[in-house]
Amino acid sequence: MLCEITVEPGYLKVDLFNWQTAGETRDALGAIAAETRKHNCSQILISVHASRPIFKVEQNGLPDYFRELGDVSKRRIALTGDSDELRLSQQYIESLARRNGINVRSFPNEQAALQWFKDRRWTPDRRERQEPWEGQERRQNPPRRSLERVRPGSFGRVSA
């Protein structure tokens, strides 16, 4: 197995080649978690090439890996694979991770994943800036007319 980790502007890029065993999976995930903490990256792109799909998520240590990343609510993890089987396994991983509150998405290619990273609607600091609406009236316009204030002849009539 070969694991290449590079720091790109705005994200950590991981390329995994010939990923075959659970032990290799745990080693690679441990290295990714260490680099993520070292560089304090909030976005991680994991591209898997010529590897065996993972369907035994717990056996391979994926839940522990996500916990090692720290505050997962502030991280985005994009997965790409070079075969249909890899994409299916990554979609399975995505569904399990998202059920546990982890922001993981599977993409058909790296370009789609990078577009997701550039999406500014998500940024964690933007979420924190929002002020609560508690006790405030959201509508600035006057209240709508109630049905009691509407004249009986103001509705459209249908002739028979």
Side-chain angles (χ1 to χ4, degrees), residues 3 26-27 33 36 46 51 53 61 79 92 95 97 117 125 127 132-133 140-141 144 160:
C3 177
R26 283 189 291 274
D27 293 343
T36 300
I46 302 175
S51 298
L79 305 172
Y92 174 64
S95 67
F117 286 166
D125 57 342
R127 287 189 203 175
W133 289 100
Q140 299 299 321
N141 300 334
R144 294 183 181 172

Side-chain angles (χ1 to χ4, degrees), residues 6-93:
T6 56
V7 179
E8 300 289 335
Y11 68 98
L12 190 72
K13 182 177 183 196
V14 180
D15 284 300
L16 298 171
F17 299 91
N18 300 321
W19 195 1
Q20 301 298 323
T21 67
E24 290 175 340
T25 302
R26 283 189 291 274
D27 293 343
L29 295 176
I32 295 167
E35 288 297 313
T36 300
R37 285 190 306 273
K38 178 180 173 183
H39 297 287
N40 195 25
C41 292
S42 64
Q43 301 182 125
I44 306 161
L45 171 61
I46 302 175
S47 296
V48 183
H49 312 277
S51 298
R52 203 178 95 217
I54 299 173
F55 288 103
K56 297 179 180 178
V57 175
E58 287 80 16
Q59 177 184 347
N60 289 321
L62 281 173
D64 297 331
Y65 158 72
F66 292 132
R67 282 186 213 104
E68 285 181 32
L69 290 175
D71 188 2
V72 291
S73 66
K74 295 185 178 182
R75 303 214 190 275
R76 283 201 273 189
I77 302 168
L79 305 172
T80 65
D82 63 358
S83 72
D84 291 337
E85 293 83 14
L86 278 170
R87 295 255 310 122
L88 277 173
S89 71
Q90 289 175 344
Q91 289 170 355
Y92 174 64
I93 291 167

Side-chain angles (χ1 to χ4, degrees), residues 111-129:
Q111 188 173 12
L114 294 176
Q115 287 298 328
W116 182 54
F117 286 166
K118 292 177 184 176
D119 183 5
R120 292 290 171 214
R121 290 178 290 176
W122 177 81
T123 55
D125 57 342
R126 182 173 178 248
R127 287 189 203 175
E128 292 170 3
R129 282 195 319 254

Side-chain angles (χ1 to χ4, degrees), residues 151-160:
R151 291 189 334 250
S154 65
F155 292 111
R157 295 183 183 210
V158 178
S159 58

